Amino acid sequence: MSYQVNLSAIKQPKEISTERLVLKPVSDEYQTFVFQYLSDHKVRHNMQLPTLNTKERQDAWWQKFSEWRNAGKAVQWCVFDKKTDTYIGLLTIKEIEIAVCRGEIGYSILKEHWRKGYGKEAASRVLQYAFEDINLHTVFAMISPQNEGSQRIVRGMGMIQEAHFKDIHFFEGKFYDLLQFSIINPSHLK
């Protein structure tokens, strides 16, 4: 069995789709869409992340992820409704550790699209890509205990909670707990 990561699937990701959604690899043409979620206080606060509501903050974020994408440390997709071409959110596999075939899944759905099943649908397709195209061995997610919607998404994809880290995340002057969920590539269990 090969435990080698397919680096080209990270650096040149393909467009993928689900029944209702199309996920397009992040590129400069989608920057305006991505900044919709980065500047949305409710979405970012729900993830206990700072709102990136200035051009300087957005440019710094874009530069960081551009470097990560180019180095094979992250892959990202913008999510659109297939029928209307409406932007729905951003899906990411980041913190990719090529030596151990591991990465963290993250997703941000604009609040007007919450509770429609888009998060689970898109995240499930990205998880499939992580296993079948990239060949990651393990995918994990770090989630706030208060973010029950996100916990439902990962549990619905078969991820199990492995840890509850106390006071590990610092946000707006306070420490917060994070839960770690993970799943092993089913093809590696055979």
Side-chain angles (χ1 to χ4, degrees), residues 23-45:
L23 290 76
K24 300 177 182 181
V26 167
S27 65
D28 289 343
E29 70 180 293
Y30 300 127
Q31 207 169 9
T32 303
F33 292 119
V34 172
F35 290 158
Q36 285 180 37
Y37 114 80
L38 291 175
S39 62
D40 187 312
H41 178 74
K42 187 170 183 176
V43 172
R44 298 289 289 176
H45 194 265

Side-chain angles (χ1 to χ4, degrees), residues 162-186:
E162 291 187 319
H164 184 146
F165 297 105
K166 299 286 189 178
D167 284 351
I168 195 167
H169 182 65
F170 192 74
F171 174 66
E172 294 186 346
K174 295 177 7 185
F175 285 97
Y176 291 89
D177 294 359
L178 287 177
L179 306 176
Q180 180 174 301
F181 293 81
S182 76
I183 188 169
I184 296 172
N185 188 330

Side-chain angles (χ1 to χ4, degrees), residues 107-125:
Y107 39 86
S108 303
I109 305 299
L110 294 178
K111 65 181 175 274
E112 59 265 27
H113 301 294
W114 288 358
R115 294 185 172 35
K116 296 179 182 177
Y118 292 137
K120 182 181 177 198
E121 187 174 334
S124 294
R125 181 61 184 96

Side-chain angles (χ1 to χ4, degrees), residues 15-74:
E15 184 175 293
I16 55 179
S17 63
T18 68
E19 183 179 331
R20 300 181 296 165
L21 306 171
V22 61
L23 290 76
K24 300 177 182 181
V26 167
S27 65
D28 289 343
E29 70 180 293
Y30 300 127
Q31 207 169 9
T32 303
F33 292 119
V34 172
F35 290 158
Q36 285 180 37
Y37 114 80
L38 291 175
S39 62
D40 187 312
H41 178 74
K42 187 170 183 176
V43 172
R44 298 289 289 176
H45 194 265
N46 199 45
M47 298 186 308
Q48 296 171 337
L49 294 171
T51 304
L52 305 181
N53 53 1
T54 67
K55 180 163 177 27
E56 293 77 23
R57 287 178 169 184
Q58 291 172 352
D59 288 346
W61 183 95
W62 191 263
Q63 181 64 34
K64 175 179 77 172
F65 270 95
S66 292
E67 289 171 6
W68 285 3
R69 288 191 303 268
N70 292 333
K73 295 180 180 179

